[in-house]
Structures are given as C-alpha cells and as structure tokens.
Amino acid sequence: MIPIRILNRKRAWAAVGRRFLTSHAAQNPLSPPPAAAAFPGHHGLPFLSHLSSRLARPSHAGAGFPSSEGVSIGNFELILIVLLCWRWKRRCFSGSAAAGLPEDGTVDVPLAQTGEGIAECELLQWFVKEGDEVDEFQPLCEVQSDKATIEITSRYKGRVSRMLYVPGDIVKVGETLLKMVVDESQAPVQSVDSQVPIKVSGNLDGELSSGADLNTTGSGGVLCTPAVRHLAKQYGISLSGIQGSGKSGRVLKEDILKYAAQKGIIESSGIPLGDQLQDELGSVQVIENPSDKKVTLRGFQRAMVKTMSMAAKVPHFYFVEDIKCDALVELKASFQKQTTDPGVKHTFLPLLIKALSSALSLYPLVNSSFNEDAMEVVLKGSHNIGIAMATPSGLVVPNIKNVQSLSILEITMELARLQQLALANKLSPEDITGGTVTLSNIGAIGGKFGSPLLNLPEVAIIAMGRIQKVPHFDEKGNVYPASIMTVNIGADHRVLDGATVARFCSEWKRLIEKPELFILQLR
Amino acid sequence: MGILRQSEKLGLPLMNLVRFKGMPILDQLKLEEKLLRTTSDNWCIVNDGADAPTIVMGVSGKPAELLELESVIGDNVPVIKRFTGGGTVIVDEGTIFVTLICNKDAVPKVQPYPRSIMSWSGKLYDEVFQGIGDFQLRENDYVFGNRKFGGNAQSITKDRWIHHTSFLWDYEDRNMTYLKLPSRAPEYRSARDHTEFVCRMREYLQRSAFIDKTIKALDNYFLVQPANPSEVSSCQVAKFAHSTRLLSKQELEDACSSTKPGTIAQSASI
C-alpha cells in the first residue's frame, strides 16, 4: 500500500520537484520527506516505538533517516534515498536543505500541534508585523485553544513576509500562519545533522556518496569518494594505478579491494568483518565538521515525546499471530481484474478492515476506550478504524467511520479519499478524531512485525507485517508456498486480557483466511 | 544559601509560595501576569477568597455571548478580561484561588502543552482530595462525581506556563444568574444549568485543610518556600503592560446594545 503510493509520489516529485519538498520540509523541518518517513511525527502518535525490522532506531524522536551507524538497508529504501540525494544535490543534509528552501527562501510557517486532539486554535494577537526581522525562538503570535493561551515561537531566523490571519480568526493545526523569508546563509539550527547521511550499501550501480560531491581533485583527477580515497591510503595504494569499474571510470571500493588482493596486500577472501564495519562507519563521515548538534524538538516531534511518554505508562501486552493470506491475495486479484471503474484501486486493506470490524462485533471490548480518571471503559458503538498513513507532515491516523455499516467497496473509496487528503495535508479534524481502534500497515514499508504503542485512549492497535511467501506443510506433509502475514496486536492490559485478544484475533484470522465467510454476513 | 543547598540535595526546583486573603481578583491576576512574564522563578499563589463579586472572562470572551448584560450593568458588577484562556466565572469571598507558575522544565514529564499540564494538575489534586468525595479531573474541570467545583485556565509562553484554578468553596446562587449558559461547554455538563452543574467545596472539607493539603502535595514536586506577599505584590517592573483589564461600563453597554438592533441608535447618541 504505502510503497506503491511513495513510488507514485516519486514521479510526482519529478514533476513538482523542489516545491513539494519545500512545503513539506517547511512545515516540519525535523521530519524527513515522506518517502523516508516511516514513523510517528504528525499528531504525536505514540506507536511504533521499536521495530524488530531492518530499519534502525531513529536517532531522534521524529524518526528521520536511519542513524549513521552503518545500517544497511533494502533496495526500496535505497531508491528513495537516492532520489532524495539527487533532488537535493549539494544542499542535501545541510541546514537550509533540511528546511527545503526554494530559491527565494520563503518558508510557510504552520500552526504546529499544540496538544493531542486539539485541531484548531483562535488567533489572539500577533507579536510581529510584516517586514519585521525575527530571531529563532522569538514569539510570533498568541493563540487560544480551549483553556489555554499559547505563545507560538519562530523556528527560523528571518523576515516576516506575509501574515495570513488576523486576530479572531480560527486557524486549523497544520495551516500556514505566516510566510517568512529565511536567508540560506543563516540556516536554522533545527536542521538535520550533517552526519545523518547514511552509508548506502552499493546495491545500485556504482557507489553513491551521501550527497558530498565526488572528489575529483588530486591523484591526477581520479574519480572516487573520500572514503575510497581513504581506503586506498590505508593500503598504501596509488589511485592512479587502478582501473575504476564505476560509472565514468569511477574507482570503487571493490576496485581497491581487488587490487589489494591481487597485490597480496590483503587476503583475497576480503577484509575482516570488523574492518569492513570500520570502513562503513568511516565512509559515513562527511567532509563537514562532525561535532554534536543540538536539535530542539518542536511541533509534532515535541507532541510525540509527550504522547509517547503517556502511552508508555500504559501496561501493554502483545499478541503475535501468523495469518495465511493466499485467499486474500486471490480475492484482491479478482477484484482488480473485474473492476469496471479505472479510478478504483483494490488493495488488501479494505478486506482486512471489514474483517476487523466483523471481529470487533463479536469482541466489543477491543473497540473501547479507557478513561483512567473516571475508571470506566466505554464500549464504542461505531467501528471507526484508524489507518496509519505517511504524509508530507509525518504519520497521521485518519479513521474510517462506521465500518460496520460500510461495504468493502465503500471502504475502498473512503480509504482512497483519506489517503489523497493525507498526502495533500488536508485532512479535517473530523477525519483524524474519533478513532476507536488503529491498524498499522507497517509491512508496506518493511519488516516482519512491530511492537506498536497504543493510540490512547484506544485499547488495541494492530501492526501488520509484510505478506511473505514462506514454505508451509500441508496435512500430508508436503511443502507448499504460503503467503503469510505476521500481525502484532498491542493491547491495554488494564482492559484486555490475553484470552480476549487471542479469541478476537482468531476470529479476524478466520475471516481473512476464508473470506467466503463474508457471504454469511450479507443482508 | 542554606535553602539552595537543601534544594540541590533534594533535586527539586524551588517554588515561592505567596498567600493572600481577600485580595481583589483584578490585583491578583495582574500580579500573576507580571510574575509569569517578568520573572524566571516558580510560584504558587493562594488567594483565600476574593472580595466583592466580580465576573472574570477568558482572554477572548465576548460579554454579549457570556453574560446577562442588563443585570450585570444594572447591578454594577465588575467584569474583568484575564490573560489566560478558558471560560467565565463569577468570584467572591467564597472563591479560593490556587495558581501555579512554572518554568517549562520544572516538573519532569510535564510538557508545556495544555493537556500535559492539565493532566499533571489532576494528579496533584488527586493527592489533595484523596479519600474526599469522588474527586477527578473531568475534561478540564475538577469535579466531585459529575459536579464541578474547580475551573482551570492556562497560559503557555516560550519558556513558562501558568495554570490557575478558581475553587468554589461557596457561592451565592443568585450570582450565577449573571452568567449565561455557555455555547461551548464540556460534554459531561449535558446542558445542565449552573445550579445543577456546580457544587460547593465546603460540603467536603474545611477551607484551611484544603490549602494546607495543596501546599503539602506541592512538596512532592517542589521545594516550597514562603515569600512575603506584600513584597511580592508591591514589586514594580518597568516596561510591562498587563493584558488583564477591567471592562469599562461603556464597553459593556455597547455590547449590550449590539445585541438589540432597536437600541443601537439610542446608545450611539449617548
């Protein structure tokens, strides 16, 4: 689901280009563009705190790029990162690039999240006017939400170019409050660390640097990265004597190793793992000063710290199950083949969502919310199933209302509508509030399964891993390929016990593995 | 110096405690605003009763929507607009005020966001009202059961926040008639009028016991040290403009007239 959308978005980037990156990054310079974003940011969603997957733990709460600790990543992520580097060129990973500034340096400053569930605020007063120079962290305006007046401070140092609201106006969270001109040379402190560029393992043609230009100086103009140059120096090899096998005659690491092996400098089986790791780590270091950088959390990341902390206080337990998806795969293919409307794209999710709703009808406690202050559980009448989505501003969880009353086709349409709005960052407060249970299709990005944190005040969250083809045994002991999806249900142990969740999951699994059972529920 | 060493030892931040009795609410609010915006200390202000009945609206309150203006004007009830958000209350000597002004890092795990602060305050008062009534923080109010006895408001600045509460120790039923039923109300209010919605704290515990227990609960988070109220309230700060203000009679009359199309011409001629 999500990777397909991201790949589509890549094509959109090629057309829209920098403008898209600008508006995204300007909204939240701490969070990476959606392609690389996999984890909470928007609305401070607390879940997905750790994954037993290939993606490394983020180095800050905003789940930016994987850390610089030489984690190798898969092809899909590589494509995205390459695209990012290509689009951003030398400005990639510098402060101004993180802000995604267009040529004229204007950024949109949005009303950032001021608290869980607060979808809009009243603008009370401006502290600045058009044309004013403002410093980073200088108060820009005061807004009111419910019981609180809140000062909104500037993320940037720059000049106010246009204010889009007047006192008394109601501003939705995420909408642009004002536009500022930010000087590239005075890039905001809240930038992606220059060390964040990750080591890209050479799955693609040639070796990619993390955005640093290839060093063409020295050694008679041999093309190679600083890391390769360093490796050559380590072995005492002159680059001019090596035939580069990369693009345009670029000397790659493999060329150095091969040469060194030929010359008997190293064992031909390759360098030891430790040194290899050191190499990988070494290649991460960029030319810029590798000193520490403080990143103050703001907006969605800041809210996420709060909501994560609150969710972490809830005693979670996890129930993991494998679900056979062969029938599901076949059914989806059949829908796609039979569909008369080219605008409708059939995926697995609507079927999973409808099956979930059926299971919730039998186990309403899983579709409840817990109010600790009042010590009461509210069994929610509607199945408002939240679906995690990656957007320009981070992860959001819009929900489909009243799934119990919707057909699978209606769910498909509603899902598409919410996805479109999410990508355009135009979800309404109605879309993102009132959810009763959350589904996270993290497998679409990668990983076997996760250990999600609850989206309070819900009591259950379901993380679905990727559908993978694995060998299974039939009753006769023959091996056959089966499409298996691993799911991890996180549940609030104050409300749900293992038996309830296990039974609920069995019911959901039953419908997914035998979707013909839906017919029994037709009216 | 001795207190500083003790505080370092305990690892708790200092909090200055200022106690008043019968301080006019306008003076109290102005003091709070001054302490929030011009100092970098943590403060707890307790005002054991205001003076004459006074209406206090939130920063963006509209008199015409929230007040029965004819009786307010007719009875000369003062109306104040405070610097924090939230709703409208009418306070008098039966109202006890507790205000907390903190640096954003003062309380661990409390973020400078409305819900975070509100939630922490609920925990604080949980300790105060342990075993007393069926106390809880309900939406943004302090209630016994489903009846409100404490209302809250906040203001959050770059580095600090204020959370202040007016507690209904006691109140006059007829004073409540100056307030309209607000259009924005918590869900649990369920359209009840004032007398059905609020309750009196005096039915649950003594005035002094409440104040003592509150200070004791604060001891868990701060090193509370008393400050001299007259010194604090008389301290002048240059270049500070309050936003808390008393609405003029003219403003109230204009607001009242604006709700009645027929009398607009009349008020304009005054």
Side-chain angles (χ1 to χ4, degrees):
Chain A
M1 172 69 83
I2 292 175
I4 296 165
R5 185 148 300 278
I6 289 166
L7 286 170
N8 285 340
R9 205 181 307 134
K10 258 179 26 196
R11 290 187 209 111
W13 285 359
V16 172
R18 202 187 279 127
R19 181 160 53 90
F20 174 81
L21 287 173
T22 303
S23 69
H24 150 74
Q27 284 185 10
N28 197 345
L30 273 190
S31 83
F39 297 99
H42 191 65
H43 294 290
L45 292 161
F47 53 92
L48 303 175
S49 68
H50 90 265
L51 277 184
S52 54
S53 77
R54 294 169 296 170
L55 295 172
R57 184 178 291 278
S59 55
H60 59 83
F65 301 97
S67 75
S68 59
E69 289 150 20
V71 174
S72 71
I73 53 175
N75 288 342
F76 164 67
E77 292 86 351
L78 279 168
I79 294 167
L80 300 172
I81 289 157
V82 166
L83 187 70
L84 286 169
C85 294
W86 175 65
R87 291 301 305 172
W88 285 358
K89 294 185 185 169
R90 238 181 316 158
R91 282 161 51 174
C92 185
F93 309 127
S94 72
S96 61
L101 294 171
E103 295 293 349
D104 66 358
T106 306
V107 295
D108 291 343
V109 179
L111 175 62
Q113 179 67 276
T114 54
E116 185 190 305
I118 293 172
E120 58 188 28
C121 296
E122 179 189 346
L123 176 64
L124 293 175
Q125 56 172 327
W126 285 107
F127 297 129
V128 296
K129 54 186 189 304
E130 287 178 10
D132 279 355
E133 296 288 339
V134 302
D135 279 324
E136 202 187 353
F137 309 129
Q138 181 177 333
L140 291 171
C141 62
E142 192 177 40
V143 300
Q144 182 185 220
S145 73
D146 228 4
K147 298 284 178 182
T149 65
I150 305 162
E151 258 181 28
I152 305 294
T153 54
S154 178
R155 287 182 195 169
Y156 308 107
K157 183 179 161 73
R159 183 172 44 82
V160 177
S161 66
R162 209 171 131 222
M163 289 157 27
L164 300 172
Y165 290 93
V166 295
D169 285 346
I170 302 293
V171 186
K172 288 194 170 48
V173 166
E175 281 185 348
T176 302
L177 269 174
L178 72 156
K179 291 182 189 282
M180 277 179 64
V181 174
V182 180
D183 186 356
E184 269 195 49
S185 65
Q186 295 170 34
V189 170
Q190 290 171 349
S191 58
V192 176
D193 193 331
S194 62
Q195 277 216 306
V196 165
I198 43 99
K199 160 85 171 78
V200 176
S201 58
N203 282 2
L204 303 174
D205 282 344
E207 183 168 294
L208 286 163
S209 75
S210 52
D213 280 341
L214 295 179
N215 190 343
T216 59
T217 59
S219 298
V222 174
L223 274 179
C224 71
T225 66
V228 168
R229 193 170 300 279
H230 175 74
L231 183 65
K233 197 172 164 186
Q234 228 181 325
Y235 290 128
I237 297 168
S238 166
L239 283 167
S240 53
I242 298 176
Q243 182 66 34
S245 62
K247 200 175 167 188
S248 308
R250 210 168 286 171
V251 174
L252 309 178
K253 188 171 89 179
E254 290 76 16
D255 300 326
I256 304 283
L257 294 175
K258 205 163 130 188
Y259 185 85
Q262 278 169 1
K263 295 288 173 187
I265 298 167
I266 54 166
E267 298 281 335
S268 57
S269 56
I271 55 175
L273 186 64
D275 288 352
Q276 196 172 34
L277 187 60
Q278 180 58 44
D279 265 349
E280 293 199 353
L281 289 173
S283 70
V284 170
Q285 283 165 16
V286 293
I287 301 164
E288 286 83 25
N289 176 16
S291 58
D292 289 347
K293 221 165 204 157
K294 273 191 197 165
V295 176
T296 306
L297 298 181
R298 300 267 161 207
F300 305 148
Q301 277 75 23
R302 201 182 184 109
M304 188 177 71
V305 171
K306 174 183 76 82
T307 50
M308 272 264 214
S309 305
M310 275 169 41
K313 286 184 196 154
V314 173
H316 286 62
F317 76 94
Y318 293 97
F319 179 84
V320 179
E321 175 68 290
D322 280 343
I323 301 181
K324 279 208 204 89
C325 292
D326 299 273
L328 190 72
V329 170
E330 229 180 278
L331 194 58
K332 176 199 131 178
S334 164
F335 285 167
Q336 269 176 318
K337 214 166 139 186
Q338 303 293 335
T339 186
T340 48
D341 185 347
V344 174
K345 191 176 159 55
H346 290 282
T347 61
F348 297 121
L349 259 185
L351 288 156
L352 292 167
I353 293 168
K354 190 64 184 172
L356 191 74
S357 173
S358 296
L360 289 173
S361 302
L362 296 177
Y363 296 95
L365 199 56
V366 182
N367 191 55
S368 63
S369 79
F370 183 49
N371 181 345
E372 195 177 10
D373 295 333
M375 266 299 170
E376 63 186 21
V377 172
V378 177
L379 303 176
K380 297 287 185 179
S382 310
H383 300 166
N384 299 341
I385 298 181
I387 310 292
M389 293 182 190
T391 76
S393 309
L395 199 66
V396 285
V397 185
N399 58 87
I400 302 174
K401 302 276 192 294
N402 293 306
V403 173
Q404 75 278 5
S405 309
L406 296 180
S407 66
I408 291 173
L409 185 62
E410 283 166 337
I411 295 171
T412 307
M413 310 296 283
E414 178 62 4
L415 190 61
R417 183 188 78 88
L418 289 172
Q419 278 165 336
Q420 266 184 347
L421 289 177
L423 282 176
N425 202 21
K426 287 200 177 334
L427 286 168
S428 71
E430 171 68 15
D431 293 326
I432 56 174
T433 53
T436 57
V437 76
T438 299
L439 260 181
S440 166
N441 190 14
I442 189 61
I445 292 176
K448 200 169 162 62
F449 57 84
S451 299
L453 286 197
L454 288 170
N455 194 8
L456 297 181
E458 296 169 14
V459 299
I461 178 168
I462 300 132
M464 302 180 293
R466 181 166 267 171
I467 298 180
Q468 290 168 335
K469 236 187 181 79
V470 295
H472 259 224
F473 287 101
D474 64 17
E475 295 95 18
K476 292 179 184 158
N478 300 318
V479 174
Y480 70 94
S483 295
I484 300 290
M485 174 176 72
T486 308
V487 300
N488 187 344
I489 304 180
D492 185 338
H493 215 333
R494 300 170 302 176
V495 174
L496 294 168
D497 58 31
T500 308
V501 171
R503 286 188 204 114
F504 160 76
C505 188
S506 290
E507 179 58 30
W508 187 41
K509 176 178 155 121
R510 197 173 70 100
L511 281 168
I512 297 170
E513 293 185 347
K514 292 181 167 37
E516 61 272 22
L517 294 174
F518 275 122
I519 299 174
L520 290 173
Q521 296 172 8
L522 278 177
R523 285 182 192 180
Chain B
M1 188 61 85
I3 287 173
L4 208 57
R5 270 204 287 274
Q6 193 180 1
S7 119
E8 281 163 25
K9 199 168 127 193
L10 290 173
L12 295 176
L14 279 173
M15 177 173 262
N16 300 314
L17 171 67
V18 192
R19 293 177 72 157
F20 297 102
K21 189 168 174 64
M23 187 192 213
I25 186 62
L26 182 62
D27 295 344
Q28 179 192 333
L29 288 167
K30 284 185 170 176
L31 172 65
E32 288 176 7
E33 196 179 352
K34 182 174 77 175
L35 293 175
L36 172 72
R37 299 202 196 284
T38 68
T39 77
S40 50
D41 297 326
N42 301 310
W43 297 90
C44 171
I45 296 139
V46 177
N47 187 12
D48 188 3
D51 57 352
T54 307
I55 292 169
V56 184
M57 295 194 304
V59 67
S60 62
K62 293 175 181 55
E65 289 171 14
L66 298 164
L67 310 178
E68 297 292 356
L69 279 168
E70 283 193 14
S71 23
V72 167
I73 296 168
D75 295 346
N76 278 317
V77 183
V79 178
I80 290 170
K81 213 173 229 199
R82 62 179 186 264
F83 66 101
T84 53
T88 310
V89 290
I90 179 158
V91 303
D92 56 19
E93 70 247 5
T95 316
I96 304 176
F97 302 90
V98 178
T99 298
L100 299 168
I101 299 173
C102 294
N103 291 311
K104 65 180 181 183
D105 301 321
V107 187
K109 296 179 189 176
V110 174
Q111 301 293 322
Y113 285 94
R115 299 259 165 131
S116 181
I117 298 164
M118 191 69 74
S119 172
W120 171 74
S121 80
K123 290 190 173 58
L124 181 78
Y125 286 106
D126 267 337
E127 292 169 39
V128 174
F129 295 107
Q130 215 170 41
I132 298 169
D134 173 23
F135 169 78
Q136 53 180 299
L137 167 67
R138 192 122 187 218
E139 296 183 47
N140 296 312
D141 301 331
Y142 301 138
V143 302
F144 289 127
N146 70 346
R147 284 195 177 226
K148 175 179 174 176
F149 71 95
N152 295 297
Q154 298 166 335
S155 183
I156 301 168
T157 67
K158 192 177 95 179
D159 298 310
R160 290 157 69 66
W161 51 262
I162 179 170
H163 176 96
H164 58 191
T165 315
S166 57
F167 288 96
L168 291 170
W169 162 257
D170 197 2
Y171 60 83
E172 303 271 349
D173 278 321
R174 67 179 184 85
N175 280 349
M176 296 298 169
T177 62
Y178 291 118
L179 307 179
K180 286 184 173 167
L181 203 67
S183 56
R184 268 188 87 175
E187 263 187 58
Y188 79 97
R189 181 163 183 157
S190 308
R192 288 177 280 164
D193 71 20
H194 288 293
T195 50
E196 292 297 315
F197 176 52
V198 296
C199 68
R200 294 171 170 85
M201 202 163 72
R202 67 179 303 165
E203 292 164 21
Y204 293 87
L205 79 168
Q206 290 193 348
R207 213 156 167 147
S208 52
F210 164 65
I211 294 172
D212 291 341
K213 279 174 186 268
T214 302
I215 296 167
K216 196 169 162 213
L218 282 170
D219 269 336
N220 294 325
Y221 300 95
F222 300 93
L223 188 65
V224 180
Q225 62 174 6
N228 187 326
S230 51
E231 268 182 31
V232 173
S233 56
S234 63
C235 177
Q236 295 299 317
V237 178
K239 289 188 191 168
F240 172 65
H242 293 103
S243 51
T244 303
R245 64 187 188 85
L246 185 67
L247 268 60
S248 68
K249 190 168 180 188
Q250 188 62 56
E251 280 178 277
L252 294 173
E253 283 171 350
D254 290 345
C256 189
S257 309
S258 68
T259 61
K260 296 178 205 160
T263 56
I264 285 172
Q266 189 182 352
S267 67
S269 68
I270 292 168

